[in-house]
Amino acid sequence: MTSAAFAELDAAFAEHGPDLAADPPVAVGHRVVHGGTRFREATRIDDEVLATLEELTPLAPLHNPANIVGIRAAMAHFPDIPHVAIFDTAFHRTLPPAAYTYAVPREWQERYDVRRYGFHGTSHEYVSGRVADLVGRSDIAIVVLHLGNGCSACAVLDGQSVETSMGMTPLEGLVMGTRCGDLDPAIPFHLARTTGMAAADLDRTLNKDSGLKGLTGVNDFRTVAERAEAGDAAAAAAIDVVTHRLIKYVGAYAAVMGRLDAIAFTGGIGEHSPLLRARVLGSLGVLGVVLDESANAAARGEGLLSAPQSRVAAYVVPTNEELQIARESVALVGR
Ligand code: AMP
């Protein structure tokens, strides 16, 4: 399967360019979901790094094995250039202990790496960087809302991630396409006791059959919004739950940072749903957010959503994880 993928890649380059013979690639950048505490920045991949990634598999059993298959295949296809791992967790290396520590026995962190790591870091770094460019300064307090099938919020203070909603795994935090986000941790035990559900069933249900899908039967926000518009009560209630959680997070992050200068929406929903952006921004008057409704409705691509008198600048910023990965890869190999 991987060789078929690379055949397609070669065919796409042959059709659309650039000509790899005349303009050869200098590196291959790989998005890797979990770097644990071992990888805190972009890392050149060698056998030792691959072995360490394999050791990290228990932290990301769904993601890291697939990443490793892709890396090995790409290394076989491009054997003569450096391969660089860019970790989804790395941007959150600046989380303070107060934000990353769960209130569980200390030993769990020391022996089992139980702590919050955060994900979507490449996207949060790219989008917060764009917001700093748009505002014209980097010493600002930003909340980035990455809302796609996976969703996460990140508080970025002076260019550094100081809080984020995903935790040890991508299951924590916001309501997502199929993931529940925040949950009373006693719920799985209650279900195990009362229904006999096994750990693997609960894991699958909370990751694959919850979130929008659990509430409405579909994980696609656009469909949920269309149903709500047509009068479907379950769909409307699901959007209420999504919105409520977002408002709660933005308010909490403003408090954590001590101020809020900007909010940015990204990801498939964040970039394309004026409805959800309006619901969230329209509920943040307490923070001094004033929505420009027509700018929000008309926004295509990057744009300002807040009115001139708004104390907080709100933007939509299409994410560009590929560009961020390319930049970090080139910076590491020192073109
Ligand atoms: P992503 O994972 O970033 O590709 O985002 C996927 C999510 O974006 C899905 O829930 C889609 O329904 C949602 N989405 C994409 N386009 C739109 C749109 N025009 N309006 C609302 N949601 C959208």
Side-chain angles (χ1 to χ4, degrees):
M1 201 169 100
T2 46
S3 56
F6 282 105
E8 296 239 350
L9 183 77
D10 288 340
F13 274 119
E15 192 181 341
H16 304 290
D19 176 356
L20 294 190
D23 191 8
V26 296
V28 179
H30 297 267
R31 177 185 180 192
V32 181
V33 167
H34 215 309
T37 50
R38 254 60 72 87
F39 298 110
R40 296 164 63 85
E41 52 195 23
T43 302
R44 195 163 166 161
I45 303 172
D46 57 19
D47 287 344
E48 201 183 320
V49 169
L50 273 173
T52 311
L53 286 179
E54 268 164 12
E55 284 169 25
L56 288 173
T57 292
L59 283 176
L62 302 178
H63 294 98
N64 274 24
N67 289 153
I68 293 167
V69 169
I71 291 169
R72 288 195 193 281
M75 288 176 101
H77 196 77
F78 295 105
D80 302 322
I81 52 175
H83 289 250
V84 180
I86 310 291
F87 296 93
D88 242 18
T89 45
F91 183 55
H92 306 299
R93 64 185 165 266
T94 46
L95 289 184
Y100 71 62
T101 305
Y102 290 113
V104 293
R106 278 236 154 254
E107 190 200 357
W108 288 12
Q109 184 174 333
E110 286 151 14
R111 291 183 64 171
Y112 308 115
D113 298 322
V114 171
R115 49 158 281 177
R116 308 183 66 252
Y117 295 92
F119 298 87
H120 286 152
T122 310
S123 177
H124 289 303
E125 184 165 9
Y126 174 80
V127 172
S128 57
R130 276 304 300 155
V131 171
D133 290 346
L134 292 166
V135 172
R137 47 193 292 193
S138 56
D139 57 337
I140 51 174
I142 310 169
V143 172
V144 180
L145 300 173
H146 179 114
L147 310 177
N149 202 31
C151 300
S152 71
C154 184
V156 183
L157 185 60
D158 302 339
Q160 299 201 323
S161 169
V162 295
E163 244 299 5
T164 194
S165 58
M166 286 176 166
M168 176 168 158
T169 76
L171 188 57
E172 189 180 343
L174 303 175
V175 179
M176 310 185 214
T178 62
R179 297 185 203 127
C180 57
D182 291 338
L183 190 75
D184 180 338
I187 291 171
F189 310 128
H190 170 73
L191 283 164
R193 277 193 306 269
T194 52
T195 71
M197 278 173 92
D201 294 336
L202 289 160
D203 191 356
R204 198 193 52 250
T205 304
L206 297 177
N207 274 290
K208 304 266 184 210
D209 290 320
S210 297
L212 288 176
K213 188 174 176 201
L215 294 172
T216 69
V218 289
N219 68 325
D220 191 282
F221 186 83
R222 194 177 350 193
T223 308
V224 176
E226 283 164 4
R227 287 188 186 173
E229 175 73 24
D232 180 328
I239 294 176
D240 289 345
V241 177
V242 168
T243 307
H244 177 87
R245 186 111 23 118
L246 284 164
I247 294 163
K248 202 163 89 167
Y249 267 89
V250 176
Y253 286 5
V256 163
M257 292 191 285
R259 65 181 208 274
L260 184 62
D261 300 306
I263 302 176
F265 289 83
T266 195
I269 305 169
E271 291 167 31
H272 301 295
S273 177
L275 163 90
L276 189 68
R277 295 192 305 246
R279 289 283 306 271
V280 173
L281 294 173
S283 304
L284 293 172
V286 68
L287 299 175
V289 177
V290 183
L291 171 68
D292 178 337
E293 285 182 26
S294 52
N296 179 46
R300 299 281 175 279
E302 197 169 89
L304 184 67
L305 308 171
S306 48
Q309 71 273 28
S310 186
R311 284 209 304 275
V312 179
Y315 295 97
V316 56
V317 176
T319 195
N320 197 336
E321 291 168 286
E322 292 80 3
L323 178 59
Q324 184 69 24
I325 289 170
R327 282 178 180 157
E328 291 186 38
S329 302
V330 169
L332 182 77
V333 302
R335 188 170 195 170

